[in-house]
Structure formats: structure tokens, C-alpha cells
Amino acid sequence: MENMQYAEELVREFLVFRGFTNTLQAFETERCTDIGKMFQVYKILDLIFTVYIPKFHAEKLVGLFSFFKQCFSSWSETTMLDTFSKLEGSVLRCYIVHALQSGRKDKVVEFFGMNGNDLLLKGSDWTAWFAIPYVKNPSIDPQFRVYFSKEWYEALRLSVRNFFSEIFNGTRLPALLKISSEKNTISCLKKENKRLNQKLLQLQALLEEKEAQLGLSKRSMGAANSSFQSSGIDGENLRPSSSSEDICAPATSYLGRIPQSEECAAAEPTKFASARVESSSRQDSYSASSLHASSGGIDDTAQKLYGSHFDENGREMLREEEFPEVSVEFQETFLGHTSPITRCRFSASGNNIASASVDGTVRIWTYDSSIPASRNATIYCGAEIMSLDWECKSDRLLLIGTADGGIKAWNVDAKRVVCDLNTTDAFPSVLDLKCSPVEPIFVSAASSRRLGSTSIDSLGYASLTVWNMKTWKAMTVLPLGEDPPAITSLCFNHNGKILAASATDGMIHMFDMSAGLQITGWPAHDSAISSLLFGPDETSIFSLGSDGKIFEWSLQNQGRVLWSKTSSWFSEPQSSKYCRHEMALDASGRQLLATSGSVRAPIYQVQGHSNGFKTLPHSAAITTVDWHPSLPIFLTGSADNSVRVTSIL
């Protein structure tokens, strides 16, 4: 049912084209009051167990099940109909149990008054339930006790979710919904065709370069033989084993792209420094360990020159600049900004992207042609954008934090700012914003300003504020102590009960959101921390320092480092003048992408993987990164004003 929105866009477009304004108005009205929630299972679950039952909307609850009976009246399987009836009965019993637990016996009596006759017609198993409002302690009565248990409630939620998932996945789709699927298929085929064409061109170029190298090698050998013969030296007494390549034998790809002449120059007795054959790819590079000559110490010299290094098991490791390039399935480039990119973020579903620039604009766009572009927009904020965050439960709301203390909430459906907040004058820089994954709240990390040469040095004291997203008012300020260093990054755990915050003094702070108090903290870096992320199983937390050091900290054994990486790419000042460095984990938690002062960004393999990869190059420093919430697709924003979406194999 993921193509429902696209199909509705087609219907709306057709009605406008035909001038059916009354029909369009009726369509929009019914769409806004869509009781079926576009057949999205998680929305139906929320409707039943978060709205209708807790708020005692018995009539709407009964109407919802009547709606689904009407929608799927063509069910031919008797078993499916019986299962649906039993599920409906269990949900109604859940309503009664919740009303009794809430002390609202009047709602139970009212429920039986409206639906009693229909319930009696459905079966005799409802007869005993008419007496439940008058039972003194129904939760301990043998006949009703099981319905008051938490296990029964959880099993009911799971059954409702599984049933609707099975129904929606097995329903025959109307032809209109198949249009989007066919469009997606065609789009994927075009991208695959484009990728294969690019690969073919690369292979053709590689073949031409190899042929040129072979010709150059033959000419070099001919010139050498001519020199030997003209000097009266018998070629049989001084003949290479086969070719110049035997003198500098090919090995592993650990030295990168190095001309043969430069490698041979390190071994002077060979006398073939004039043969300049440059390798064309990382597969054609040469290892220092393969340089053999009559004089001793050549291997040691090569290691010093090329910086070969080894892991704890003695295996030779690639340096970061020698990481292989990722295998790309497709890549799209967005060129809508006119200044360096400061932040880019995927939405909760991954369908939409928000990117921000130094020029004070935020753009919302999609990289997938199968997704309607109706949400695309440009937001003018009037100040540098320092933080972005999407609402966790939907793609509806985007929060924007600016350098002048502004916090804007943009509704992507209405295409307007629904709330415009301001921090206090003492803390004008909104460094980070994070929405709770469960509660309708978000936390802002703001700081004061001071003189400094870099973005980190210019940060002063910190302020952490919790905001209510229904009233758009500040709820509380989290305690940080007296004159606390600026908080640069925030992250919630899965249930929103724990908030982690990193500071410019290298500390990591952990807050209990229910109590609004700090529960622990430890010094993690010798320098400022610029980015913080919970690990995939939330037993660890990743921190990135402004010095380029990355640590994975154990949360079960506080202060213990599980994994670490140091990258010299982070220390380059080219990108730090635009924004703070950051990192992003993929959905599996096994790949970590980081910003870079170089035109390429490193992708590290976390835990148990020795080497990493590097992205395709931008034309300037990579200033912001993010991963798709579920797919192997990542974002890179650059100081060259571009944002790229890259899907990897």
C-alpha cells in the first residue's frame, strides 16, 4: 500500500484536469477523514490502541471494524471472516477492560446499551459480559481474569498487527496502484542500464590504458636492448627475466597509484629508472615488500617511504587514502543550493530529504522519481542553519535551528511554518535539535558565543531545553551545572527515556528524561566532541572528536572502549569553517560514514572489519552526512554546494 499517496496524486491531477471541482472537494474531504489511514498497519494500531480505546470512542471503534468489513466484503475464505470476527470481539473486550481499569463503569454500561443487541446476535459467549459492570473485582474473577493481564493485551496487539498486515499484503491491488510499481520498475531498470553503461566505459578506458602501458613497456625494453648492443655488451649475459615488470613485481594494492619509475628509483642497482609506466587503478599498484635488489635494506626503505602498517595480527592494512572506492548502484546530485551545505537529513521513511546551506535556506526534496514531489519546498530562514531534525513518527514535520536563536517547525503537507520559537538572547546558537521517538517533545542544545577561529572555539556556555510539540512551549531546562561547556550533539535511545549529549570539553552526559536529571557522564575525548550516536543495539555509543578520533563506548561497562579509529582527514581545516564534523551509522550499525576535509569521505567497517571504503569524490570538502533509515543509501553534502544521494551494492 506504499503507492497509495502516488495514486491519490494521480486522481487529484485528473479531477483538476477535467474540471470536476465538486468531486475534487468531496474527494479531499473524505481523504482528510480517512478512517482506514491509507491501509497503513501502524497507523491503524495507533488509532485503535492509542486513540479509540483510551479515549472511550466506542462508536468510532465499532465503525472502524464495520468499515473494514465493507472494504473486504469480497473475502471468499470463511476462515478469514471468522478470524476477523474473533479479533473484533477481542478488541471490544479490551475496550471494556480498559474502561473498568479506568474506573469508568458508565462507559461500559453505555457501550452495552448501544451495541448489546448486536453482540448477543454474534454469539452466546457475550452473555456473561453483560454482568461485568456489576462484578465487584472482575480482575480476579476466574471468568474475566485473563483479559486483565498484560500478556493478553500484548498478544492482542500482535494479533491485530499480523492480521491486518496479512490482509493488506494479500489484497488484490486496483490497476491505479500498479502504475507506481511499474514506474518504479522502469526507473530501476534505467538506473541499472546507466550503471552498466558507466561500468562498460570504465572497462574500455582501462583496456586502452593497459594497451598503452604494454606498448610503452615494449618500447622501453627495445631501447634498453639497443643500448646494450651499442655498448658492446652481450645481451645474453645481462637479460631481464622477462620484462621490466619482473624488476618491480606486482603484488597487493597497498601503495596506491605509484609510477613504476618511482618505485624502481628506490632500488638503484636495477638501473631501470627511465621506464615510466604508471598504474591505472588500485588493482595495478605495487607493494614495497616486492622490491628485490642485490643491496640490503631495500624493504625497510620502502616501508619508511610508503608508510606500510600492520594490524594486531601482523596483516598489512590499507591507509585511509588507499581505501577502495565503494561499489555504487546509482548516484543522484542535487544542485539547488548556492552556498556550502551545513546539514542534510533523511526523513523518518527515507522518502524525503532536507538539506540546509550557509545562505540560510532549507530545501526539501526527493531523489526518487516514483515519490510525489508535492512536498518539495524552499524555506528561507534569514540566518545560517546549524541543525535539522525530522519528526520521528512521520515525514510531516521538520525542525530547523539557526545561528540567531530561531527554531522553526515546518509542516511539509501545509508547506508553511507552524511554529517560530526563539531561545534566550544569552544562547543564540541552536547547535542541535532532537525529537523524542515516543513522546511529542524535542530537545534543543543552544550555546552562547565568544571569539574563536573555528566553529568549535567560538562556542561558549550551554543550555539544554525540553519543548512540548503540542503547545510549542518550553517545558524544562535540563541541569548541566554552573557555566557548562557548549553541547554539540544530542541523541535519544529507542524509547526516548535516555538522552545522550556531548560537549566541547570532551564529556558525554546521560540524562533520565522522566526525571529530568543527569544520571551519569564520563570524559571521552581530549578535545571537543562534535557528534554522538547510539549503537544499533544501544549497548554502546559512538563519539567523534574534533581531532578526528572515533570511539565506540560500552554502556554496560562505562568507560570501556569497544572500537576506535583515528582519521587524519578530520583534522583538515577546510571543512571546519562551514560546520562541525559529524558521522552517521547505517541501519545495520556496521558501517560508519564521517565527514571529511577531503573531497572523499571514509566509510569505516565497525567491529571485526579491518578496512573501509571511500565515497565517490565531490569537488570540495564533505561537510555533512546521513544514512537512509533502512536502505544502503547515504547522503553527502559538500562545500561545493551540492548534495548527493548514493546507493551502494
Side-chain angles (χ1 to χ4, degrees):
M1 299 297 177
E2 65 274 6
N3 300 323
M4 189 80 71
Q5 187 175 0
Y6 180 72
E8 290 177 355
E9 291 288 339
L10 293 180
V11 172
R12 185 184 294 105
E13 183 181 26
F14 175 76
L15 294 177
V16 171
F17 175 76
R18 291 298 309 274
F20 297 156
T21 54
N22 292 334
T23 306
L24 177 62
Q25 186 176 0
F27 172 74
E28 292 290 357
T29 301
E30 293 199 1
R31 181 175 172 272
C32 292
T33 58
D34 177 20
I35 190 175
K37 297 299 178 183
M38 297 176 67
F39 298 146
Q40 297 184 36
V41 176
Y42 73 94
K43 288 187 176 182
I44 294 172
L45 280 176
D46 283 345
L47 198 64
I48 294 174
F49 294 102
T50 308
V51 180
Y52 288 171
I53 290 179
K55 296 183 179 180
F56 308 109
H57 294 166
E59 187 175 355
K60 293 182 179 179
L61 187 63
V62 173
L64 179 65
F65 281 92
S66 299
F67 167 78
F68 284 119
K69 281 183 182 177
Q70 184 179 359
C71 287
F72 303 108
S73 58
S74 59
W75 283 343
S76 57
E77 297 184 20
T78 306
T79 305
M80 195 67 74
L81 290 170
D82 292 342
T83 303
F84 182 79
S85 297
K86 290 178 181 178
L87 204 62
E88 178 186 10
S90 297
V91 172
L92 295 179
R93 288 184 173 93
C94 181
Y95 173 87
I96 295 170
V97 167
H98 175 76
L100 292 174
Q101 288 177 329
S102 303
R104 298 298 302 271
K105 290 184 179 180
D106 58 314
K107 291 294 181 181
V108 180
V109 174
E110 180 184 334
F111 172 79
F112 283 123
M114 290 189 299
N115 306 288
N117 293 333
D118 294 334
L119 295 176
L120 288 175
L121 292 175
K122 290 180 180 180
S124 58
D125 56 339
W126 274 100
T127 304
W129 283 81
F130 283 85
I132 196 171
Y134 311 104
V135 176
K136 188 172 183 181
N137 290 313
S139 61
I140 60 175
D141 189 282
Q143 191 169 6
F144 305 112
R145 181 171 52 198
V146 66
Y147 300 101
F148 286 82
S149 66
K150 183 178 180 181
E151 292 76 13
W152 180 83
Y153 175 80
E154 295 296 335
L156 175 62
R157 282 185 64 102
L158 182 62
S159 299
V160 172
R161 188 192 69 181
N162 292 343
F163 179 81
F164 280 113
S165 296
E166 181 69 21
I167 290 299
F168 296 153
N169 291 334
T171 301
R172 185 185 68 84
L173 296 178
L176 189 62
L177 288 180
K178 295 180 181 179
I179 294 177
S180 180
S181 299
E182 293 172 356
K183 184 179 179 182
N184 288 342
T185 302
I186 294 173
S187 177
C188 290
L189 290 175
K190 287 181 178 179
K191 290 174 181 177
E192 178 67 12
N193 186 38
K194 182 179 178 181
R195 184 184 70 83
L196 292 175
N197 285 334
Q198 290 176 346
K199 189 173 182 180
L200 177 60
L201 292 174
Q202 291 173 358
L203 291 174
Q204 289 174 343
L206 183 60
L207 179 60
E208 292 174 0
E209 196 166 351
K210 291 291 186 183
E211 291 175 348
Q213 290 177 12
L214 182 59
L216 181 59
S217 179
K218 288 180 178 179
R219 289 194 297 271
S220 300
M221 288 300 301
N225 288 334
S226 298
S227 176
F228 296 150
Q229 292 173 3
S230 63
S231 61
I233 300 175
D234 186 2
E236 295 292 332
N237 297 327
L238 189 58
R239 180 181 297 163
S241 59
S242 61
S243 69
S244 62
E245 294 186 30
D246 290 332
I247 295 171
C248 297
T252 53
S253 59
Y254 298 142
L255 290 184
R257 302 182 178 181
I258 302 173
Q260 285 187 359
S261 60
E262 293 177 11
E263 296 181 58
C264 296
E268 293 180 359
T270 63
K271 302 299 183 182
F272 279 96
S274 61
R276 301 189 57 83
V277 182
E278 183 170 349
S279 62
S280 60
S281 68
R282 53 184 176 273
Q283 285 80 10
D284 302 319
S285 56
Y286 299 91
S287 171
S289 63
S290 66
L291 297 176
H292 299 290
S294 58
S295 60
I298 298 235
D299 289 342
D300 295 337
T301 303
Q303 288 184 12
K304 291 178 181 177
L305 285 174
Y306 300 113
S308 298
H309 56 286
F310 302 86
D311 64 9
E312 63 274 8
N313 297 320
R315 295 174 302 198
E316 195 167 7
M317 300 277 290
L318 292 179
R319 297 181 300 177
E320 289 162 356
E321 59 267 28
E322 296 163 352
F323 281 175
E325 208 170 65
V326 291
S327 298
V328 174
E329 182 177 8
F330 73 85
Q331 185 176 76
E332 301 289 343
T333 302
F334 180 73
L335 301 173
H337 291 283
T338 59
S339 297
I341 310 301
T342 56
R343 287 289 179 265
C344 59
R345 294 289 183 267
F346 277 111
S347 62
S349 69
N351 292 336
N352 296 295
I353 295 170
S355 55
S357 175
V358 172
D359 61 11
T361 63
V362 176
R363 293 178 183 266
I364 298 174
W365 48 282
T366 180
Y367 66 95
D368 194 341
S369 59
S370 64
I371 303 297
S374 57
R375 290 185 167 190
N376 290 9
T378 301
I379 309 163
Y380 297 92
C381 299
E384 180 183 349
I385 313 300
M386 306 195 75
S387 50
L388 290 176
D389 196 38
W390 288 88
E391 183 185 23
C392 296
K393 293 186 176 180
S394 70
D395 292 0
R396 185 177 58 88
L397 206 63
L398 174 70
L399 296 179
I400 306 167
T402 65
D404 63 354
I407 301 176
K408 300 180 185 294
W410 176 267
N411 188 306
V412 294
D413 292 327
K415 286 191 175 181
R416 65 183 181 89
V417 174
V418 294
C419 187
D420 200 346
L421 307 173
N422 282 285
T423 61
T424 61
D425 294 338
F427 302 99
S429 298
V430 183
L431 302 182
D432 203 8
L433 297 168
K434 275 295 177 292
C435 293
S436 168
V438 177
E439 300 294 331
I441 62 172
F442 73 91
V443 179
S444 66
S447 80
S448 59
R449 292 173 180 165
R450 63 184 180 188
L451 296 177
S453 58
T454 67
S455 58
I456 293 292
D457 294 338
S458 63
L459 303 179
Y461 300 126
S463 174
L464 276 182
T465 306
V466 183
W467 303 81
N468 188 308
M469 296 177 68
K470 291 185 176 179
T471 62
W472 298 109
K473 293 182 179 180
M475 298 170 56
T476 185
V477 176
L478 297 178
L480 287 170
E482 185 177 354
D483 297 336
I487 298 296
T488 55
S489 183
L490 303 170
C491 59
F492 277 101
N493 70 334
H494 73 285
N495 58 16
K497 292 184 178 180
I498 302 296
L499 175 72
S502 62
T504 54
D505 63 350
M507 287 288 294
I508 294 177
H509 305 276
M510 307 289 281
F511 293 89
D512 181 348
M513 293 303 294
S514 58
L517 297 173
Q518 184 174 177
I519 53 178
T520 187
W522 67 94
H525 288 257
D526 295 331
S527 61
I529 303 175
S530 57
S531 187
L532 200 66
L533 293 171
F534 274 107
D537 56 1
E538 297 190 354
T539 60
S540 64
I541 193 166
F542 291 83
S543 61
L544 166 63
S546 59
D547 57 359
K549 293 181 180 179
I550 305 173
F551 295 116
E552 181 184 10
W553 300 91
S554 172
L555 294 179
Q556 298 171 336
N557 187 1
Q558 184 174 309
R560 179 189 173 195
V561 177
L562 302 177
W563 176 83
S564 65
K565 184 65 69 172
T566 300
S567 173
S568 60
W569 294 7
F570 295 113
S571 61
E572 297 187 26
Q574 181 180 357
S575 61
S576 62
K577 62 183 179 181
Y578 298 116
C579 64
R580 304 177 311 280
H581 286 297
E582 64 180 9
M583 58 184 173
L585 280 170
D586 71 342
S588 68
R590 297 180 61 184
Q591 296 190 98
L592 187 145
L593 172 64
T595 53
S596 170
S598 170
V599 297
R600 297 175 183 268
I603 303 176
Y604 296 110
Q605 306 298 309
V606 179
Q607 295 288 352
H609 299 270
S610 57
N611 296 324
F613 298 95
K614 58 185 177 183
T615 63
L616 300 186
H618 282 263
S619 59
I622 296 175
T623 55
T624 178
V625 294
D626 194 25
W627 279 96
H628 191 284
S630 58
L631 300 176
I633 300 175
F634 61 81
L635 282 175
T636 51
S638 173
D640 64 8
N641 311 343
S642 69
V643 182
R644 287 184 179 173
V645 184
T646 306
S647 173
I648 59 177
L649 298 174

